[in-house]
Amino acid sequence: MTAELVRGQNHTLPQTRLEIRVSAGTPVVAGATLGDEQGTVRGIEWIAHPGSPQLPGLEVSQQAAADHRLAVDLEALPTGAHRVTVLLALPVGVGGPVRFGAVPAPFVAVTGLDGTEIASFTLTDLDAESAVSALELYRRQDVWKVRAVGQGYAGGLAAMLADQGVTEPAALAGTIQEAVTRGLARSVAPPPPRTPEGDRVRHATGSADHRPTAPPPSPAPEPPEPLTDPAATGPAHTAQPHTVPEPAAAGTSAGGPINYAHPRRQHAAPPSPPPTAPPAQPGQPAQPVAGDATGWSMDERLYNQIWGMFEDLARAVAAYRSAVDFAESRMDQELDRALSDPRNRIGGAGDRAREAACAKRDELTSRAREALDRDLAQLAAEAAVVEPALPAAYAGWGNPVWHAHRIPMEIPMALRIGDLHLPERTDLRIPLLVRLPLERGIWVDSGRAASEAAALMDTDRLRRLAMETAVAHAARLLAVYPPGEFAVHVIDPAGSAAGPLAPLVEAGVLAGPPAAGPGGVASVLAHLTRRVDLVQMAVRARAADSLPPDLDTGEQLLVVNDFPHGFDDRAVTQLRYLADEGPAVGVHLLMVADREEASAYGPILDPLWRSLLRITPVADSHLADPWVGHAWTYEPLTVPPGSRVLEQVLAAVAEARRAAGR
């Protein structure tokens, strides 16, 4: 039975391998400090935070999230550690709330590895505090207990660290917040929160399982599930897409074919029936089907299904990696214990202890890999049926759907801008979908320092490839918007992108000729800045009918090549303004730039880079998922060699505009 604690109350812990689960309703930073018998933190090496997430026996999330899982193995803590204090803080400088009094009361639970709650604590009565010491695990006479603390700090993270006895707390707080900011900048934005009807519906052999489940308070990232035994390495799935979300594949029973029943999932009835798998033969599992998720349309179901696959893969690999880390840690502990006895250093006792520890490590690692392979096989089977069923907006250039594409009369939910994969199985690709209208700009990194693959390429070739990538994305956006509702402007200060821009120019789908020289740069920026200003004023005044008749109210995309060449200080300021204010009123950036070439501006451009989703023209491992924080390899979409699909699509856009009189 769960012990519901109040401030100051304690409870005995029945086990030493635990999870501490945090639900905050808004992204928070989660960390932990280790203390000695007097509660003193001996140094920064006894602090786990997003910039340094792992300590012996302790692991925290690498980024801010509304939901966290902190892993604790009390037996593996460093010698002399008698206390673990869990700390929560609001991120600084990211536009979120600045005091806990403005957000839902955080909820913290101490659970076993199977999710069974041991004790919980709701942190109420917080107001101006922006950091809080939530609870502590402490050892008293060789018995571990948990105590509810709930001590808030209006001075923020620095004040809380100072109270823990940390030297130079302000510097450490700044380091933590910088790590959080970097994590948020590289993270793929999660889908909006789900509704109670949000789970996918999975079909067992001939029947569906409909067990309602309550949604989590927010779709923000979670950490991996560390220090878990490989026997429990199946992914824990709670995906959070659009209005109706989804999880995806779970573990299967040992051996045998893929089990598509997903026994560890809970399901809710969808608002409309998704496709069902054909009846399975007796004794055989049901086969995966495309659109096996809830949603009001097939596009929405596929969108939710893809996000569920994305989360499933992230969590399955996190469980595997954590299990391997646990096996390594356990082996090290067993070796330390065995070799600390002088008697084992004589004769073959030490060798036998080493062989036994290595054998146990290999056994645990092998079990973890078997569980991962079952999950990966199930996801691969699902991907094989989903990919051919995708609509054009979700499909790669090689999908035949583009050859029969017609310009739609309404925009889709999302657009595919690349693929993601992890090293555990590189052929299992997850489509990277971004919501439409775009919620943040895109930066195509043309720098040679962007990745190992980029470093091996010629500079001119890399820049051309980056611009071709930007042109392909602009073409996809034009193709999925109704005629006349999306305009593309181009700034090419030196005219160096004439070749890559040729498909857009020859098709006549640009809002005007590519702007060149300082004058062209200033003219386009002034035009779009004026549009942002006017629309903002109209929205605030609730007077949309007062907009000038010549103002194009459709979505606008500004493609910028070779930034910052041709940009003076005023132009740079206007570009930053468009990046910050534009997306809310329909003006979006697609920049091709090498950050090193803009280094002369110093930190003034840091907010610009952080506001944009960075992608690369070649494969690079730089994007993070919003649940676990893996480094995913991004693969850009490419037009098949010899294909003229890009020109055909742009010709269809031009024809649709002429037919609509635009």
Side-chain angles (χ1 to χ4, degrees), residues 638-644:
T638 56
V639 176
S643 173
R644 294 192 56 82

Side-chain angles (χ1 to χ4, degrees), residues 542-558:
R542 298 182 179 179
D545 55 352
S546 66
L547 289 170
D550 63 336
L551 187 76
D552 183 0
T553 56
E555 300 284 311
Q556 310 288 309
L557 177 70
L558 174 59

Side-chain angles (χ1 to χ4, degrees), residues 32-36 39-49 52 55 58 78 87 161 164-169 172:
T33 61
L34 302 180
D36 57 20
T40 302
V41 179
R42 295 183 178 178
I44 59 173
E45 67 275 7
W46 273 23
I47 304 174
H49 57 80
S52 179
L55 296 177
L58 179 63
L87 314 175
L161 292 172
Q164 294 271 324
V166 177
T167 58
E168 299 185 3
L172 179 57

